[in-house]
Amino acid sequence: MTAPATPLTLGTAGHIDHGKTALVHALTGVDTDRLPEERARGMTIVLGYAPLVLPCGRRLSVVDVPGHERFVRTMVAGATGIDLFLLVVAADDGVMPQTVEHVAVLDALRVRRGVVAVTKADAADPARALAEATDLLGDRFAIDAVACSARTGAGIADVVAALDRAAAALPGRAPAGGGALLHIDRVFTIRGAGTVVTGTLWSGAIGRGDVVELLPAGLRARVRGVQVHERPADRATAGQRVAVNLTGVQLRAIGRGDALAAPGTLAPTWRLDADLTLRGARHGQRVHVHHGTREAPARLAELGDGLWQVRLERPLLARDGDRVVVRSVAPPDTLGGGVVLDAAPRRHGRRPDALARLHELRRGERPTPPRGEPQDAPPQPPDTPLTEPAPQLPAGAIALAERLRAAGHEPPSTADLGDAATHLPALREAGVAARVGRDRHAHVDALAEVRRRVVAIVEAEGAVTLARLRDDLGTSRQFAQALLEYLDAAKVTVRRPDDTRVLRRRRGEQSVA
Ligand SMILES: Nc1nc2c(ncn2[C@@H]2O[C@H](COP(=O)(O)OP(=O)(O)OP(=O)(O)O)[C@@H](O)[C@H]2O)c(=O)[nH]1
Ligand SMILES: [Mg+2]
């Protein structure tokens, strides 16, 4: 026997009650609506998963998504890692609002190959729904459309055959391409085994003994075991649905929306340059950006020609080339989406050199710079405007900046710096250093890192205390105190009467669970 082709992830899509879960059951034998509430209400609420082996031997991981309009974010989180889709349309209902919205999400994610199943063909003539669905998808999508019934079993073999053809056209993901990356959709503990995270492996491979990094917190953990569709496996490869058993990390330190990655290969980002196709979006508009299993409120800065800078209010874990979906805040609707050209750009506005670079990236003519080595300016913390163009700093100031960077989250006092302290005003002016406490200065990169840790702690645990941050950073009480006061002053955190701190809500911000 030849080696099986690489596994693929198939996502369902379609309006509520159109028969997605019933069709997945007919195809795989698995009822993915497992929650009591899902069974009682007869609708999908959380993502469901089932394995499916096609006649050609190709293994598929099926992700069954909810159709309810209130759960479109869950649908997006499920659709974001898929290779091909199964769009389900009920013969007796035809194309409905979430059929349209789910297709917009697939379009934004550039998932353009799949199967349209017009189901419930036992209840109505499928011809009209078939025509409506084919119309909706137009010629941007490569599809096969078939009629079927999950109830009678008629046409199910045709759905399988159509999936076979669609899968044959897809190469699958190169397991070697990039380090391991998994966007976490569930975290739980198993008695005796410890913490388990689940998700679709986007790239790379993962197996027992590997050391992984959990983001955005930056925690390291070791892989104790891996399961693929609830069966133990030596190694899982890209495209598979995986459960990873971790040691060295506590359940409460991680959550849905975090990512597991090969150490040092991924960093949280507060800003994206992206090539987006959006319906009716405008400069300055506040939106929700969805990526991986995470979402963030953000503002759009229009750069022209379909290029946008997205300024995030919560970090995303995106890489160059990843897809994002953009939704409006009110009324909630999918505006579109596109491709990340640069996951760690400067704040540059419509500067000609920045635009020229983005056009080159879009045409694939220019490799993106390695992460952590910005091309032309000192790195900056989120939301700190940098006077443009970057000011020229004297050598002494650059040396001081390096000294502050090396000091990290234990910033020196002015007295510690001696003569070099004369350069502090220039560094503050240039946005490279910031005052922390009464007479200490820290590099903005160190502060951005502290901010990330604090946000991660609050997101995972609800609040942060002085002692918690002190332990997390492995530093003294004095430094932890100064850093928290800095974050209060920077309006990142707010101190509550019981001395704990939470994230400050920005005006108009909605909770993003
Ligand atoms: N007659 C008929 N009814 C069907 C068929 N498939 C599903 N149904 C019924 O349609 C209803 C909805 O089916 P589901 O599979 O739960 O629909 P869904 O698309 O998963 O719904 P959400 O996950 O809530 O979006 C149920 O009552 C099913 O029994 C079919 O082929 N024929
Ligand atoms: Mg369902």
Side-chain angles (χ1 to χ4, degrees):
M1 226 178 84
T2 54
T6 52
L8 295 172
T9 301
L10 169 75
T12 62
H15 196 72
I16 184 164
D17 266 352
H18 274 201
K20 297 178 289 300
T21 303
L23 184 54
V24 168
H25 190 200
L27 289 167
T28 66
V30 177
D31 179 4
T32 53
D33 279 353
R34 290 181 305 180
L35 298 182
E37 195 189 349
E38 292 180 316
R39 296 220 160 130
R41 295 168 71 182
M43 74 180 192
T44 303
I45 297 171
V46 300
L47 298 173
Y49 302 94
L52 173 63
V53 182
L54 294 175
C56 66
R58 199 79 181 258
R59 283 166 297 151
L60 298 186
S61 282
V62 184
V63 181
D64 181 36
V65 309
H68 194 292
E69 62 173 320
R70 276 194 18 240
F71 303 140
V72 175
R73 346 194 322 207
T74 306
M75 182 273 168
V76 176
T80 184
I82 69 176
D83 301 294
L84 73 168
F85 63 82
L86 178 59
L87 177 66
V88 177
V89 184
D92 55 355
D93 220 11
V95 165
M96 294 297 279
Q98 266 60 56
T99 321
V100 176
E101 186 163 18
H102 286 192
V103 167
V105 170
L106 296 170
D107 199 14
L109 293 169
R110 313 283 213 263
V111 181
R112 302 243 172 85
R113 185 172 292 276
V115 172
V116 176
V118 169
T119 187
K120 308 198 190 185
D122 59 291
D125 182 349
R128 184 181 59 93
L130 275 168
E132 285 178 6
T134 317
D135 231 36
L136 171 68
L137 289 161
D139 46 21
R140 272 207 310 290
F141 288 84
I143 56 151
D144 253 346
V146 292
C148 65
S149 164
R151 185 153 294 172
T152 66
I156 298 298
D158 298 334
V159 177
V160 173
L163 288 171
D164 224 13
R165 285 191 295 275
L170 286 168
R173 312 172 192 206
L181 173 62
L182 178 150
H183 290 279
I184 297 171
D185 52 41
R186 280 198 309 150
V187 183
F188 50 90
T189 46
I190 291 182
R191 191 191 293 271
T195 304
V196 178
V197 303
T198 62
T200 300
L201 197 58
W202 278 26
S203 65
I206 190 165
R208 186 189 171 92
D210 291 357
V211 172
V212 293
E213 188 171 358
L214 290 150
L215 295 141
L219 304 167
R220 296 277 166 111
R222 188 173 291 277
V223 177
R224 188 173 180 180
V226 171
Q227 293 196 348
V228 176
H229 284 296
E230 293 165 22
R231 297 245 174 86
D234 284 340
R235 279 190 97 62
T237 56
Q240 285 184 314
R241 168 87 198 153
V242 191
V244 186
N245 184 190
L246 297 170
T247 57
V249 67
Q250 288 194 332
L251 173 72
R252 64 197 174 101
I254 36 181
R256 181 197 142 102
D258 288 359
L260 179 159
T265 59
L266 184 67
T269 176
W270 293 84
R271 206 150 45 223
L272 303 169
D273 280 350
D275 176 2
L276 301 177
T277 307
L278 301 174
R279 225 166 5 92
R282 46 169 217 287
H283 181 75
Q285 185 173 344
R286 197 155 180 283
V287 294
H288 277 144
V289 180
H290 299 246
H291 171 268
T293 50
R294 198 175 178 86
E295 61 180 271
R299 290 238 181 244
L300 292 175
E302 187 166 18
L303 305 173
D305 273 337
L307 297 171
W308 301 76
Q309 184 161 85
V310 184
R311 296 178 181 155
L312 304 163
E313 295 173 18
R314 177 176 186 249
L316 290 180
L317 302 166
R319 303 179 297 186
D320 301 338
D322 280 356
R323 312 282 190 232
V324 294
V325 173
V326 179
R327 302 190 73 228
S328 53
V329 178
D333 194 10
T334 298
L335 297 175
V339 184
V340 175
L341 296 176
D342 186 348
R346 315 179 41 199
R347 193 178 173 116
H348 52 62
R350 291 181 178 236
R351 274 185 15 201
D353 59 332
L355 292 182
R357 185 172 158 270
L358 289 177
H359 281 286
E360 282 174 27
L361 286 171
R362 171 151 70 183
R363 291 193 300 265
E365 285 168 11
R366 182 184 175 126
T368 42
R371 196 53 50 77
E373 290 173 36
Q375 299 201 305
D376 44 9
Q380 25 166 355
D383 304 329
T384 302
L386 187 65
T387 348
E388 292 169 10
Q392 292 296 308
L393 292 169
I398 291 169
L400 176 60
E402 282 322 302
R403 195 165 154 193
L404 294 183
R405 187 201 294 279
H409 54 254
E410 302 195 341
S413 70
T414 311
D416 294 338
L417 295 173
D419 286 346
T422 54
H423 294 293
L424 283 173
L427 289 187
R428 280 204 307 269
E429 180 84 0
V432 175
R435 197 191 293 277
V436 172
R438 271 226 320 286
D439 75 332
R440 294 181 181 277
H441 280 80
H443 196 285
V444 291
D445 281 1
L447 292 172
E449 177 58 27
V450 171
R451 172 182 171 146
R452 280 198 281 273
R453 314 262 299 238
V454 166
V455 169
I457 293 171
V458 177
E459 281 182 359
E461 300 167 19
V464 64
T465 61
L466 184 54
R468 179 74 178 86
L469 183 64
R470 178 198 60 199
D471 294 346
D472 189 76
L473 295 175
T475 188
S476 73
R477 207 183 148 75
Q478 177 201 11
F479 286 121
Q481 166 105 31
L483 292 165
L484 282 174
E485 282 171 6
Y486 166 83
L487 291 177
D488 291 343
K491 297 198 164 36
V492 174
T493 46
V494 58
R495 186 170 155 194
R496 296 190 296 195
D498 64 355
D499 254 356
T500 62
R501 282 170 166 89
V502 292
L503 299 184
R504 185 186 282 270
R505 282 263 171 115
R506 295 178 194 231
R507 216 173 336 136
E509 180 169 344
Q510 301 196 328
S511 74
V512 279

